[in-house]
Amino acid sequence: QVQLVESGGGLVQAGGSLRLSCAASGHSFFNYAMAWFRQAPGKEREFVAAVDWISRYAYHGDPVRGRFTISRDNAKDTMYLQMNSLNPEDTAVYFCAARPGSIATTANDYDDWGQGTQVTVSS
């Protein structure tokens, strides 16, 4: 089982940027797809972006496409989410997730989850 730890969240003004990190440990990272999800108060967990093991496929959800970029560094067992042009609707707890094999966009398809990091965007 993979242990995942998110970092990099915080408070930022609208239009600003943040970079989230997700460090993986406890298991071979080999052939794991990784993803970011987010959950705002009172809302369901929402897909943000996913990337496959060799970064051949990276997919971003509609609300963030063109503003956020997912990436990973397998040598460091770390995944990133560069978030630009943030707006208050991006305020949520951001979670990283992992699953063996190909990427998926549904939370139930992921086996391993981090504890989350809070991102708050002020207007």
Side-chain angles (χ1 to χ4, degrees), residues 38 63-64 67-68 84-92 94 119 121:
R38 66 186 182 184
V64 308
R67 300 187 298 123
F68 293 9
N84 299 327
S85 302
L86 285 160
N87 58 63
E89 289 70 37
D90 295 317
T91 295
Y94 283 70
V119 171
V121 184

Side-chain angles (χ1 to χ4, degrees), residues 14-104:
S17 298
L18 282 175
R19 186 194 192 203
L20 305 183
S21 299
C22 172
S25 64
H27 190 276
S28 173
F29 207 33
F30 178 76
N31 204 33
Y32 269 66
M34 302 285 291
W36 289 98
F37 287 79
R38 66 186 182 184
Q39 189 165 18
K43 294 187 177 181
E44 293 189 353
R45 196 161 293 191
E46 177 187 37
F47 171 77
V48 175
V51 62
D52 69 346
W53 161 246
I54 58 173
S55 300
R56 180 177 182 181
Y57 298 107
Y59 181 74
H60 300 78
D62 288 343
V64 308
R65 191 171 298 133
R67 300 187 298 123
F68 293 9
T69 302
I70 191 171
S71 63
R72 65 191 291 171
D73 184 343
N74 290 339
K76 297 181 179 179
D77 288 339
T78 302
M79 176 179 66
Y80 305 97
L81 185 68
Q82 178 65 44
M83 305 187 296
N84 299 327
S85 302
L86 285 160
N87 58 63
E89 289 70 37
D90 295 317
T91 295
V93 178
Y94 283 70
F95 299 90
C96 67
R99 69 187 297 269
S102 61
I103 64 173

